[in-house]
Amino acid sequence: MVIEITNYYALPGLADAVLAQRRLASEIRTRLGLPAGRIFKKLEGAGPDVRWECAFDSRADYERDLAVRGASEEFTHARQDMHKLLDRFERNLQEQVP
């Protein structure tokens, strides 16, 4: 199993806007036939204001997902709009191990 994790660190005062934009991106994903993934909002402590994760059965499934969203003009615009709200962005790809 492969898990993509994205961490969104909002510009000051924009955490709610980042959450709304992540929700929009997940809605676009479902319209594209992709899994919505799971969205998390920070309650307290250090770390990102918003976190998104999505699990894939294989690296090939992940690569197909990347191709579909990469070919989507709507998703590209949503990504560009998100980056206007951010101080910092991180994407991590992890693999579940036994």
Side-chain angles (χ1 to χ4, degrees), residues 1-87:
M1 177 181 298
V2 172
I3 300 174
E4 179 182 4
I5 299 167
T6 55
N7 295 316
Y8 303 94
Y9 297 82
L11 288 168
L14 296 180
D16 288 340
V18 168
L19 178 59
Q21 189 64 22
R22 180 61 254 182
R23 286 179 171 146
L24 173 63
S26 291
E27 290 172 14
I28 294 169
R29 288 181 57 81
T30 60
R31 287 197 295 272
L32 294 171
L34 302 172
R38 299 184 332 159
I39 302 170
F40 301 86
K41 179 181 175 182
K42 179 171 68 174
L43 294 178
E44 60 182 52
D49 297 290
V50 176
R51 179 174 167 246
W52 175 83
E53 69 175 41
C54 192
F56 304 91
D57 289 332
S58 68
R59 181 68 186 249
D61 288 340
Y62 170 71
E63 297 294 337
R64 280 190 288 278
D65 188 280
L66 277 179
V68 169
R69 57 183 139 142
S72 168
E73 188 174 319
E74 185 180 21
F75 193 85
T76 297
H77 287 301
R79 181 184 295 134
Q80 291 168 345
D81 290 344
M82 173 66 89
H83 284 279
K84 295 173 186 175
L85 305 171
L86 300 178
D87 179 52

